[in-house]
Amino acid sequence: MPNLSFVTPSRNSPWGTYLSQIDAVEPYLGSLARWVETLRRPKRALIVDIPIELDNGTIAHYEGYRVQHSLTRGPGKGGVRYHPDVTLEEVMALSAWMTIKNAAVNLPYGGAKGGIRLDPKTLSMKELEKVTRRYTSEIGIIIGPQQDIPAPDVNTNGQIMAWMMDTYSMNVGATATGVVTGKPIPLGGSLGRVAATGRGVFVIGREAMRRLNVAMEGARVAVQGFGNVGSIAAKLFAANGAKIVAVQDHSGTIQNEQGFDMQNLLDHVALAGGVAGFKGGDAIANENFWDIKTDVLIPAALEGQITAERAQRLHTRIVLEGANGPTTPDGDAVLADRGITVVPDVIANAGGVTVSYFEWVQDFSSFFWTEDEINVRLDKIITGAFKGIWETAEQHRISLRTAAFTVACTRVLQAREERGLYP
Ligand code: GLU
């Protein structure tokens, strides 16, 4: 089968990582393997130019993307990321992981992702709004409540979703709350959505620990990335008796053998913008983060963090993937050899898109649930999905990642086969 012309992945790049995960699952797909090539190609990829007038009067251009990896099981679904390193290849991989994640949890969605190649810290609020609105208009030809539903991801939030919802609504001439999720509550957002990804990381971590006989009380936990996902997961682990012994973010790395006082740390980060300078811990060199002894290590930042070299050094029992694609194929192989359990991103961080699904359903029915209802349903859905993945892993003696891919790809390819090829 010819390779795609528009991407040249290397083994440990995001798309290369995804392709090697598909290679690993292929033997477990039975007769559905006939359709597996479908998963190695995004259905549709859009590259857009985003010109805006900056506050100083000059014209700046940004590159934006929206990739719909699969629409087989339902509309596209997945976040939008603003980051200076965003590329088409990365967005392709992130959209493919959304296909797998949505199918692993059995949400009625395909997989999609978007991104803009920019550093939001260099833009004013007004400029950020212009970029967001122009990007939304440009991808407006392929998104919609029934087509593809964006949401927050790295460096995007409820405010950006509000601008996206407004721009799309203005263009279609009607308020379309269901076009994005992760919106502010007054605009049709859902209670519990902001915390949902971090909460899901905690819930799945708790389930994995229970099965591996790792006690929550006193468990040593380290977190890389202290944004929406890492900070909320850390807070929930600490509230349930674990000790957060190290945190790394863009500003630096801090350590405390006794476990941080989480409220003080969160207050410090709210003021200082990062963990660096926190008085309740010691600063250490960034690279030493990977040597800290833990029970649970949570990479909750970007892709490609756990390389083969770092995987050799880790002293942990569980890697709980809060980020998408944090472990490279070479890193994964080392962790497997060393008997370290990897709880893969496609289930560990699926709490966000699960509550996005609740938000979308609530928007359609214009009937909103309580936060307790949301949290109970979230727990039930992802715990059930994790149980199925765990049993699949035991049955075939495969990693949790290959098991999650087995469950998910079987669902996607079954739907593919039943729909048949058009024309
Ligand atoms: N960006 C989140 C993720 O990677 C959530 C996507 C969504 O809610 O659609 O899963």
Side-chain angles (χ1 to χ4, degrees), residues 66 76-81 94 97-98 101-102 107 109 112-113 148-154 156 180-182 193 197 229 322-324 345 349-357 359:
R66 185 75 187 170
K77 183 88 195 82
V80 173
R81 149 177 318 204
L94 293 165
W97 284 321
M98 288 310 303
K101 192 184 304 187
N102 291 329
L107 305 177
Y109 291 133
K113 201 85 172 199
D148 179 4
I149 306 109
D153 195 77
V154 174
T156 56
V180 290
T181 57
R193 174 61 186 88
T197 313
V229 180
N324 292 306
D345 47 6
N349 71 26
V353 70
T354 302
V355 176
S356 275
Y357 166 61
E359 179 172 334

Side-chain angles (χ1 to χ4, degrees), residues 226-247:
F226 210 61
N228 184 247
V229 180
S231 68
I232 289 168
K235 197 171 145 185
L236 288 171
F237 270 101
N240 283 274
K243 288 195 295 193
I244 311 302
V245 295
V247 176

Side-chain angles (χ1 to χ4, degrees), residues 148-404:
D148 179 4
I149 306 109
D153 195 77
V154 174
N155 291 333
T156 56
N157 55 26
Q159 174 62 78
I160 290 183
M161 295 306 116
W163 291 327
M164 290 188 77
M165 187 278 260
D166 182 68
T167 304
Y168 180 86
S169 297
M170 288 295 136
N171 286 344
V172 298
T175 295
T177 53
V179 67
V180 290
T181 57
K183 298 178 295 292
I185 305 295
L187 306 181
S190 176
L191 295 169
R193 174 61 186 88
V194 173
T197 313
R199 176 174 292 277
V201 170
F202 166 72
V203 167
I204 296 298
R206 178 195 73 201
E207 293 299 303
M209 290 166 82
R210 193 164 60 72
R211 286 181 168 80
L212 295 165
N213 288 320
V214 179
M216 181 64 75
E217 191 60 43
R220 296 169 59 89
V221 177
V223 187
Q224 185 203 32
F226 210 61
N228 184 247
V229 180
S231 68
I232 289 168
K235 197 171 145 185
L236 288 171
F237 270 101
N240 283 274
K243 288 195 295 193
I244 311 302
V245 295
V247 176
Q248 176 172 98
D249 73 359
H250 58 91
S251 69
T253 308
I254 54 169
Q255 183 186 18
N256 183 337
E257 274 301 298
Q258 264 54 64
F260 298 113
D261 179 312
M262 284 309 293
Q263 200 48 55
N264 286 348
L265 178 56
L266 290 163
D267 291 347
H268 170 83
V269 171
L271 276 175
V275 299
F278 180 54
K279 297 274 185 292
D282 304 317
I284 60 168
N286 281 338
E287 201 46 41
N288 294 349
F289 175 79
W290 306 102
D291 301 314
I292 288 167
K293 193 173 171 309
T294 54
D295 297 299
V296 182
L297 178 82
I298 309 177
L302 295 171
E303 303 93 66
Q305 296 302 299
I306 304 184
T307 58
E309 191 271 325
R310 286 176 178 164
Q312 279 299 352
R313 287 156 48 200
L314 294 190
H315 282 273
T316 194
R317 298 180 64 184
I318 300 174
V319 171
L320 180 59
E321 295 186 334
N324 292 306
T327 310
T328 67
D330 291 344
D332 232 1
V334 172
L335 295 176
D337 267 0
R338 296 187 56 214
I340 296 173
T341 300
V342 179
V343 185
D345 47 6
V346 292
I347 182 67
N349 71 26
V353 70
T354 302
V355 176
S356 275
Y357 166 61
F358 297 162
E359 179 172 334
W360 185 70
V361 168
Q362 292 172 86
D363 286 341
F364 273 117
S365 56
S366 300
F367 179 77
F368 291 86
W369 312 345
T370 66
E371 191 159 357
D372 271 356
E373 281 172 314
I374 305 267
N375 289 343
V376 169
R377 287 181 195 200
L378 166 64
D379 199 307
K380 197 163 162 227
I381 288 185
I382 59 174
T383 304
F386 183 69
K387 180 171 181 280
I389 291 165
W390 187 273
E391 287 166 0
T392 303
E394 289 202 318
Q395 184 194 338
H396 295 292
R397 296 173 187 279
I398 52 181
S399 68
L400 287 173
R401 192 186 314 281
T402 301

